[in-house]
Structure formats: C-alpha cells, structure tokens
Amino acid sequence: MLALVSPALLVILALIVLPVGWLAWQSVYHDGFTLENYRRVFTEDVYWRSFALTFEISLAVTLIALLLGYPVAYLANSLPKAWSILVLSLVVLPFWTSVLVRAYAWLALLQRTGVINQFLRYLDVISEPLALVHNTFGTVVATVHILLPFMVLPLYATMQKIPGDLMQAGASLGASPSLTFFRVFLPLSLPGVLAGCTMVFVLCLGFYITPELLGGGRTVMVSMLVSRNVELYNQFGAASAVAVVLLLSVLLIFFVVSRFISLDRVLGQK
C-alpha cells in the first residue's frame, strides 16, 4: 500500500509541504529566530488597512456574485436539458480566456474614454466621464465577472439535487410559487449558497492581477502587499509573514465553514 501511494506523497511533499514550510521559515528567520515580521503585520497601519480592504472587497464581491449567480443557477436548473447546457456553457465560457485578458478588457470598457462612459455621455446621462476604473469600483466589477462561475456552478449542483416533486407538492397544497420557493426551495439550496460563497470569498482573498490593473495602485490588497515587499523592498521575510497570515486566515475560514457543511461539498467532490 505504501509503495502505491509513495509517488503521490512525494508530489505533495515537493509541491505543497516544502514550499509552505520554506515560506514559514523565511517569515521567522533573519540572522536568527525573530518575530519582527509578524509584529509589523499585526501592529503597522499599512498592513491592517490592506487586510481590511481585502476582506471588504472579498465580502462585496461574494455578495454581488451571490445576487447575480443565484438567478442564473435557478434558471439553468429550471430550463429543459438542452437550454440548461447552453446557459451553463455561457457561464463557463470565460474560463477559456486568460484572467489577464479579461482584466484588460474591463480596463478598456471602464476607462474615461471607454464604451460605458461614451455611451452614458451619448445618452446625456452624464456630462463628464465617471471614474469607473483605477479604484475599488473597477476592481469589484472585474472580480465579480471573473469569479461568478465559482458561485453559479456549486449552486446549480445543489439545485439539481432538490426533487422537483417538492415544488409540485407545495403547489398542490395551495401554496403560491413564491411561498413554495421561500419555504421549500431556498432552504434546501442553502448548502450550495454556502459552498459558492466560500469558494468566491477565498479565491478573492488571493486575487492579484485584477486589483493590480483595475485598482491603479490605489486598491492595495494583500497579494499586492506581498508582491511589493518582494519587488520594491526586497523583504522576503515580511512578504512571507503576510502570506502565512493570509494562509492561516483561509484555513480558519475553511474550519468555520466545515462546522456547517462538508468540505468535500465546498471543494466540489460531492
């Protein structure tokens, strides 16, 4: 048995355990053992602001993705098989394009001379171009678009498992469609809601390219903090400490979520 799993264990050791271990070592070693890097992370305002902004943007993206993704998943679940496949294909289609390309596309759309500002000025809705990019707004819009499939797919998988007979039973007992939805369908779909929200929130915590391009240097998320510590200040210890704190935050989120729903379901294994 050990011989069969040894290659997999070696891969895990080489690709996960050793890099994470080296990351943790760098965060506490600089000419000897030190916790200076962690002291800076937990006491300096720039780190606190970056972590707070990252969690605020992640929460906003998750809520918007849920509001947009739930109707899409519900529609895909309600349509006949062929139309359902078409809707899901449109949801998954952006995966075939690089995140970098999609971020640049949003940059072109939202800039002062972009399509959206030009269209609003053509309609005389605005007289001056709106600041839609190089700020938090542009970052949130582009991130929601990129992460939306991670909300729709878990929701759709959960909705597929809800027996259609329950809706018919509610209707046969005199309940209106809206009452049946809120009293029967919505509660049964909550595991999918929790799984989708967890996936989107955790992925957003580590986003780098989109806030770098759409934020214009004003929206400094944690991943950018890591990058700047390495590229600008050559402080690998500080960057490692930030990365370790972010990793522990993600593990804490998964631990809390596991109290309510199986992690196999969150990760799409069931």
Side-chain angles (χ1 to χ4, degrees):
M1 184 65 182
L2 183 61
L4 290 175
V5 300
S6 292
L9 291 176
L10 288 175
V11 171
I12 293 174
L13 180 66
L15 299 182
I16 299 177
V17 176
L18 289 180
V20 173
W22 178 246
L23 194 72
W25 173 253
Q26 281 193 131
S27 68
V28 296
Y29 185 84
H30 181 72
D31 295 332
F33 179 79
T34 176
L35 293 177
E36 175 62 20
N37 293 319
Y38 287 99
R39 185 198 65 76
R40 293 178 55 192
V41 171
F42 288 107
T43 58
E44 294 188 5
D45 287 343
V46 62
Y47 291 97
W48 277 103
R49 286 199 301 270
S50 184
F51 270 95
L53 180 64
T54 301
F55 277 83
E56 288 173 6
I57 290 178
S58 299
L59 184 61
V61 168
T62 302
L63 293 176
I64 296 172
L66 176 61
L67 293 175
L68 296 176
Y70 197 97
V72 174
Y74 186 80
L75 176 66
N77 181 63
S78 305
L79 291 173
K81 190 70 175 179
W83 287 102
S84 175
I85 292 174
L86 176 61
V87 172
L88 293 177
S89 299
L90 293 175
V91 171
V92 177
L93 194 62
F95 276 128
W96 297 352
T97 307
S98 163
V99 172
L100 182 62
V101 173
R102 280 181 278 169
Y104 269 115
W106 276 110
L107 186 62
L109 287 171
L110 297 176
Q111 62 183 322
R112 295 177 65 86
T113 58
V115 175
I116 295 177
N117 267 318
Q118 292 290 344
F119 182 68
L120 293 176
R121 295 186 70 177
Y122 173 78
L123 296 177
D124 283 333
V125 176
I126 58 175
S127 57
E128 295 294 330
L130 298 175
L132 302 177
V133 74
H134 294 156
N135 50 28
T136 302
F137 176 82
T139 301
V140 170
V141 169
T143 306
V144 167
H145 170 249
I146 293 170
L147 294 182
L148 189 59
F150 293 98
M151 179 66 74
V152 174
L153 297 180
L155 282 170
Y156 176 75
T158 300
M159 290 177 182
Q160 279 279 287
K161 297 174 183 176
I162 301 176
D165 295 345
L166 293 178
M167 301 295 286
Q168 296 175 6
S172 67
L173 294 174
S176 64
S178 60
L179 181 62
T180 307
F181 173 81
F182 285 109
R183 297 292 296 273
V184 179
F185 192 89
L186 183 60
L188 292 176
S189 68
L190 288 182
V193 172
L194 187 55
C197 289
T198 304
M199 288 296 295
V200 172
F201 188 83
V202 168
L203 289 173
C204 191
L205 287 177
F207 243 42
Y208 174 71
I209 294 177
T210 305
E212 183 71 61
L213 291 177
L214 278 298
R218 299 186 180 91
T219 307
V220 182
M221 295 179 69
V222 173
S223 57
M224 298 164 65
L225 207 58
V226 174
S227 172
R228 292 180 179 183
N229 268 311
V230 173
E231 296 177 354
L232 298 181
Y233 310 119
N234 198 31
Q235 295 182 349
F236 287 86
S240 300
V242 174
V244 168
V245 172
L246 182 61
L247 176 62
L248 293 177
S249 301
V250 171
L251 293 177
L252 179 62
I253 291 170
F254 276 120
F255 174 77
V256 173
V257 171
S258 69
R259 302 295 93 188
F260 302 96
I261 182 176
S262 168
L263 287 181
D264 290 339
R265 197 163 185 173
V266 175
L267 299 174
Q269 297 179 358
K270 284 187 177 178

